[in-house]
Amino acid sequence: EAQVTQNPRYLITVTGKKLTVTCSQNMNHEYMSWYRQDPGLGLRQIYYSMNVEVTDKGDVPEGYKVSRKEKRNFPLILESPSPNQTSLYFCASSLHSGRGYTGELFFGEGSRLTVL
Amino acid sequence: GNSVTQMEGPVTLSEEAFLTINCTYTATGYPSLFWYVQYPGEGLQLLLKATKADDKGSNKGFEATYRKETTSFHLEKGSVQVSDSAVYFCALSLMDTGRRALTFGSGTRLQVQP
């Protein structure tokens, strides 16, 4: 089954304790991205990756890091989480090539993070 | 910059009622337009899309028409069901940019009562 898998789905942590949210896709997509969802703001892009070893900032990258060492994986790293990073996080992927890209992003089920 | 504005929810309807969720946008360039749906506890999934002016996207009884003159992409369904209860997001994408970022509206929660 084609899917984007995120872990953990739920996490409560404390300020300053480093954490990683993993994301894996099995569709051989070149493009992957992280979004955060906050009430009244919709989804905002944090980081994206066009392919392995190619990453770039989205609209709200502060406080986050990413890496893309393998095509299928795109972890989101919070080096020193703060309460304003409490949010619902979504990983998404899509085909990259111009002809193959339809505008459709495939989303994971989300990871709800609470930073105390 | 690019932005998407949706009507605020929640929208509460009885089963078989007609649904309209308004969406307007501002964009530099010629965006593609999308409606995504988020069912409780799940990620977003594409509902329908339109890539150029006057295109109509449709899926599962939902429709939306890309209106360039009014910069709108309103979502409609003739007869809603309880299973349509979800949050609906309007979004745009400038397909020719490498970022591939979707600009989302704030979402509209639909509650359908039996």
Side-chain angles (χ1 to χ4, degrees):
Chain A
E1 180 189 353
Q3 59 186 3
V4 178
T5 303
Q6 298 179 222
N7 280 295
R9 295 287 312 279
Y10 302 91
L11 179 63
I12 300 175
T13 189
V14 295
T15 300
K17 185 175 181 182
K18 180 179 178 179
L19 67 92
T20 299
V21 185
T22 64
C23 174
S24 180
Q25 51 91 8
N26 62 1
M27 295 169 280
N28 201 36
H29 286 167
E30 293 94 344
Y31 178 91
M32 297 185 74
S33 183
W34 278 100
Y35 285 81
R36 59 178 289 173
Q37 181 181 11
D38 301 292
L41 297 177
L43 282 80
R44 294 175 292 168
Q45 190 185 51
I46 302 171
Y47 268 94
Y48 68 99
S49 170
M50 303 279 274
N51 213 326
V52 175
E53 302 293 358
V54 181
T55 64
D56 209 344
K57 297 176 181 178
D59 295 315
V60 288
E62 293 78 19
Y64 304 95
K65 286 176 57 177
V66 294
S67 68
R68 188 89 182 275
K69 294 183 170 56
E70 303 169 282
K71 194 174 187 179
R72 64 183 291 128
N73 296 324
F74 190 44
L76 180 69
I77 303 157
L78 286 72
E79 293 272 3
S80 182
S82 62
N84 65 11
Q85 293 179 296
T86 293
S87 187
L88 179 58
Y89 291 87
F90 287 100
C91 182
S93 70
S94 77
L95 288 168
H96 169 63
S97 65
R99 290 190 179 194
Y101 181 54
T102 63
E104 179 174 8
L105 285 179
F106 294 83
F107 284 84
E109 293 182 320
S111 297
R112 185 168 293 281
L113 171 64
T114 301
V115 183
L116 301 176
Chain B
N2 303 322
S3 67
V4 175
T5 303
Q6 288 180 238
M7 59 189 293
E8 289 196 19
V11 174
T12 303
L13 296 174
S14 297
E15 209 165 21
E16 299 184 3
F18 184 86
L19 169 70
T20 299
I21 300 178
N22 291 336
C23 170
T24 58
Y25 69 91
T26 58
T28 55
Y30 301 97
S32 292
L33 301 175
F34 306 85
W35 278 99
Y36 277 79
V37 59
Q38 184 181 28
Y39 298 104
E42 299 183 10
L44 282 75
Q45 54 187 276
L46 181 65
L47 180 61
L48 53 84
K49 66 177 178 138
T51 58
K52 62 183 187 297
D54 299 324
D55 269 2
K56 177 185 282 188
S58 61
N59 186 25
K60 299 182 181 180
F62 291 90
E63 292 183 340
T65 301
Y66 190 143
R67 301 287 188 199
K68 188 177 179 182
E69 64 277 12
T70 55
T71 62
S72 64
F73 193 54
H74 305 320
L75 182 68
E76 297 181 335
K77 187 175 185 182
S79 175
V80 294
Q81 306 300 312
V82 172
S83 58
D84 293 327
S85 298
V87 181
Y88 293 81
F89 291 91
C90 186
L92 68 83
S93 176
L94 292 169
M95 305 278 280
D96 59 347
T97 63
R99 264 187 62 190
R100 299 285 168 82
L102 287 168
T103 299
F104 285 91
S106 57
T108 303
R109 182 176 300 277
L110 171 65
Q111 299 172 334
V112 180
Q113 298 175 336

